[in-house]
Amino acid sequence: MADASLSTHVLDTTTGRPAAGLAVMLERDGTVIATAATDAEGRVRELGASLAAGRYRLVFEVRAYAADAFFARVALDIELGGGHTHVPLLLSRYGVTSYRGS
């Protein structure tokens, strides 16, 4: 049943600004099923729509966004159920924080 959707928002806490132009991928079972880049507000409003419930990997290509970042890539394994899931990422040069938003 395809009833899940996903969005994300990346904020660069080093600069205090949205992380515009950061590449994001959505994977399932090792296969990339969606790609996007964050907009000027650091958002990907719809990375996936009509997704089946289950486990996915959300990948942020940090090094391409910030060459001096400690983390080259941040990958989050998430479990999608029904409805919409929003996953914010707070990013600094030496740290990351994420949570399930609304």
Side-chain angles (χ1 to χ4, degrees):
M1 182 174 190
D3 63 350
S5 63
L6 179 68
S7 62
T8 189
H9 187 195
V10 184
L11 297 173
D12 185 335
T13 61
T14 299
T15 65
R17 303 180 61 117
L22 191 142
V24 182
M25 294 181 295
L26 182 62
E27 301 176 353
R28 183 147 198 206
D29 298 325
T31 300
V32 176
I33 60 171
T35 61
T38 55
D39 64 15
E41 295 178 350
R43 297 180 182 274
V44 176
R45 296 181 193 283
E46 189 173 279
L47 185 57
S50 300
L51 299 168
R55 182 168 292 168
Y56 292 82
R57 177 168 286 165
L58 186 54
V59 180
F60 300 88
E61 294 293 344
V62 178
R63 186 65 52 80
Y65 165 75
D68 62 343
F70 176 72
F71 295 100
R73 171 184 282 185
V74 174
L76 304 172
D77 290 342
I78 58 175
E79 191 75 31
L80 296 181
H84 183 73
T85 300
H86 182 68
V87 181
L89 183 75
L90 304 177
L91 174 67
S92 73
R93 294 301 181 257
Y94 301 105
V96 294
T97 301
S98 186
Y99 57 96
R100 183 168 196 250
S102 57

